[in-house]
Amino acid sequence: MNAPKSGYRVFSANSSVACTELAKKITERLGVELGKSVVFQESNRETRVDVKESVRGQTIFIIQTIPRMTRDVNTAIMELLIMAYALKTSCAKNIIGVIPYFPYSKQCKMRKRGSIVSKLLASMLAKAGLTHIITMDLHQKGRSRVSFTFPVDNLRASPFLIQYIQEEIPDYRNAIIVAKSPSAAKRAQSYAERLRLGLAVIHGEAQCSESDMADGRHSPPCVRNTTGHTGLELPLMMAKEKPPITVVGDVGGRIAIIVDDIIDDVGDFVAAAEILKERGAYKIYIMATHGLLSADAPRLIEESAIDEVVVTNTVPHEVQKLQCPKIKTVDVSMILAEAIRRIHNGESMAYLFRNIAVDD
């Protein structure tokens, strides 16, 4: 790696010590020191950020990861917003957010009378001063990217996870890639094609939530109003029913590898593992980019038929690993550091996406 030029700084927006580990790994790879700043909570829970060095005219990279507890996501967002605004008012030339796991990325489509929260967050980041974002495996890539008014480099973790499969899973040639729902089939197919393995899809796991169903189909029937006219009688749309669970593909006597982008509430993964075990799979692995692993996830994984859960360090999960030895970590600081170096030096990012498909 070439020595990075002067004129840029790397800061961490996290107040949590555990969350700065990724920032330290990135700066070590870049051969630079982490910028001097203090991020803390006031007694009234307000976030305060103090930048301890001059950033005038420089390009600033802010590394922000999400703490392990779900309730701290909003605190992490405020830390990022306030630090970006502090750097903006300190006359930084460019402010680039390195946000490996972009929060609220699941809320990227309209549901009934809700809102597209990822679009709101993107607008807030732009208003705070961010001019560019580096993220990884953005949830529902195409839909989320339209929310941003500035450049977004959406890196992929698939090369690191595929390398782990090849190097750490004995007899992986006897494995089969599994999509735990039809919506995850494209990602699973991409993994299967790269590893030259078979593909299986679990059908029937997904079920429409109550919020999806409450879209007006159960509204009161048409009635005659005071003018004597009735509303339009539209064709009745049948409600979706959860089909019987089936596995499309033969997993008998095989190693089953379920791939996904986020593993948070592990109930679906545990249920999928039970189904695969019933169908004859003798080992079950879960591969995901972002290991949120909220609530009782470590305990549920430990008690399940899952043999190993492999996630990257985009989200800190050291506590969960202590609770569940089945959880393994893949370091992706290398590609994040290289992305920072290339952006600062004005080099093409295409090298980081070589042989990467859109569905990865």
Side-chain angles (χ1 to χ4, degrees):
M1 181 182 294
N2 297 330
K5 298 178 181 178
S6 59
Y8 82 101
R9 293 284 187 276
V10 180
F11 286 84
S12 173
N14 281 118
S15 57
S16 170
V17 175
C19 296
T20 59
E21 290 302 315
L22 179 60
K24 290 179 180 177
K25 289 183 178 181
I26 292 173
T27 52
E28 286 175 0
R29 291 184 181 277
L30 289 170
V32 300
E33 293 184 359
L34 197 60
K36 298 179 176 63
S37 64
V38 177
V39 182
F40 61 97
Q41 304 295 316
E42 299 276 15
S43 57
N44 61 358
R45 304 300 297 168
E46 290 185 358
T47 299
R48 180 178 291 276
V49 174
D50 290 332
V51 179
K52 299 295 186 180
E53 58 183 285
S54 174
V55 296
R56 182 178 295 274
Q58 295 184 349
T59 296
I60 305 298
F61 294 87
I62 307 175
I63 300 172
Q64 178 67 317
T65 54
I66 304 301
R68 67 172 296 268
M69 300 301 291
T70 303
R71 63 176 180 268
D72 288 336
V73 170
N74 296 327
T75 299
I77 291 171
M78 286 305 300
E79 289 175 348
L80 177 60
L81 291 170
I82 294 173
M83 174 166 277
Y85 192 65
L87 293 166
K88 178 182 177 181
T89 54
S90 298
C91 300
K93 182 180 179 181
N94 292 304
I95 304 172
I96 301 171
V98 183
I99 315 171
Y101 169 68
F102 193 83
Y104 288 99
S105 58
K106 285 187 174 182
Q107 298 189 45
C108 59
K109 60 182 178 179
M110 183 68 73
R111 293 182 182 274
K112 199 185 175 184
R113 299 177 185 87
S115 60
I116 305 176
V117 183
S118 62
K119 183 176 182 180
L120 170 64
L121 180 55
S123 299
M124 292 168 63
L125 292 172
K127 188 67 175 179
L130 288 181
T131 57
H132 193 147
I133 278 181
I134 302 171
T135 187
M136 180 167 284
D137 283 340
L138 193 61
H139 188 68
Q140 297 193 359
K141 306 173 187 68
R143 186 179 288 114
S144 297
R145 288 174 70 93
V146 300
S147 301
F148 297 98
T149 58
F150 45 74
V152 177
D153 285 308
N154 184 27
L155 305 177
R156 304 292 197 274
S158 55
F160 297 90
L161 296 176
I162 289 173
Q163 183 180 29
Y164 184 94
I165 292 172
Q166 294 173 324
E167 296 180 355
E168 302 297 332
I169 298 181
D171 195 23
Y172 83 91
R173 291 293 182 186
N174 189 38
I176 185 168
I177 304 298
V178 180
K180 71 178 181 67
S181 65
S183 61
K186 286 187 176 180
R187 181 186 299 271
Q189 181 182 358
S190 180
Y191 274 70
E193 290 174 350
R194 294 179 187 286
L195 290 164
R196 310 294 192 270
L197 299 176
L199 175 67
V201 180
I202 299 176
H203 180 56
E205 176 273 334
Q207 183 178 19
C208 290
S209 64
E210 185 176 347
S211 61
D212 291 333
M213 299 294 289
D215 56 3
R217 67 189 67 183
H218 301 302
S219 298
C222 299
V223 296
R224 188 176 297 276
N225 57 26
T226 57
T227 62
H229 297 287
T230 60
L232 296 175
E233 293 190 13
L234 301 175
L236 179 64
M237 179 65 72
M238 298 299 294
K240 291 182 179 180
E241 296 290 343
K242 183 177 181 180
I245 295 178
T246 58
V247 179
V248 182
D250 182 16
V251 299
R254 311 288 287 276
I255 300 171
I257 304 175
I258 303 175
V259 298
D260 213 331
D261 58 341
I262 299 173
I263 176 168
D264 188 3
D265 181 2
V266 299
D268 291 346
F269 292 92
V270 171
E274 292 293 340
I275 295 167
L276 294 171
K277 186 70 74 172
E278 292 174 3
R279 298 298 194 278
Y282 70 93
K283 273 193 175 182
I284 299 167
Y285 290 79
I286 310 292
M287 313 291 293
T289 303
H290 309 296
L292 303 184
L293 303 169
S294 302
D296 292 333
R299 178 182 62 81
L300 294 174
I301 292 170
E302 188 66 24
E303 297 172 357
S304 72
I306 299 171
D307 291 282
E308 196 167 283
V309 173
V310 183
V311 294
T312 72
N313 56 344
T314 57
V315 178
H317 51 266
E318 294 304 318
V319 175
Q320 290 94 324
K321 288 178 68 175
L322 294 175
Q323 297 171 345
C324 177
K326 292 182 179 181
I327 300 172
K328 307 297 181 183
T329 307
V330 174
D331 181 22
V332 293
S333 62
M334 177 188 300
I335 192 170
L336 294 170
E338 181 64 10
I340 291 173
R341 189 192 70 80
R342 286 178 174 270
I343 289 174
H344 171 64
N345 291 336
E347 299 177 16
S348 172
M349 297 287 283
Y351 176 78
L352 303 182
F353 296 93
R354 67 192 190 284
N355 300 324
I356 299 294
V358 175
D359 298 322
D360 278 8

